[in-house]
Amino acid sequence: MKKKLLALLLGSSLVLALAACGGGDDDASKEKDTGTTGGGTTTADAGDAEKLYNQKCSSCHGGNLEGGVGPALEKAGSTHSKEDIESIIANGQGAMPAGLLSGDEASQVAEWLAAKK
């Protein structure tokens, strides 16, 4: 009985950890675009890599880049180039799923993290 309970708890913890890292694409993560070119919605204003990180990455990598479920990113730029980081975001690595950010958003966050040395 104890083994079944332990297996259930560990399995639930793993599912929760993976779900937290997945981010999701719900309407709560979108903000109104205040630009004058359209008035649509966007995940974050252009150039706001830190906000994108906080929305999609901090649940696993920590609010201060200190790590958690995922590795610390405080000095990501000392070991990885912008291109390396963008590739990891696009393709995933280890338990990190691919495609949490894409296109310009992935480039912005990769550039921001590459500057962390």
Side-chain angles (χ1 to χ4, degrees), residues 40-104:
T41 58
T42 174
T43 304
D45 294 330
D48 200 351
E50 186 173 5
K51 189 169 200 169
L52 288 167
Y53 171 86
N54 286 328
Q55 290 173 346
K56 298 287 185 169
C57 311
S58 65
S59 61
C60 292
H61 295 285
N64 294 318
L65 309 170
E66 73 276 10
V69 175
L73 301 175
E74 297 159 321
K75 297 181 180 181
S78 65
T79 56
H80 293 61
S81 69
K82 175 187 181 270
E83 292 77 20
D84 291 341
I85 296 169
E86 197 166 350
S87 175
I88 293 168
I89 292 169
N91 302 314
Q93 186 171 351
M96 180 178 156
L100 294 177
L101 295 168
S102 61
D104 289 341

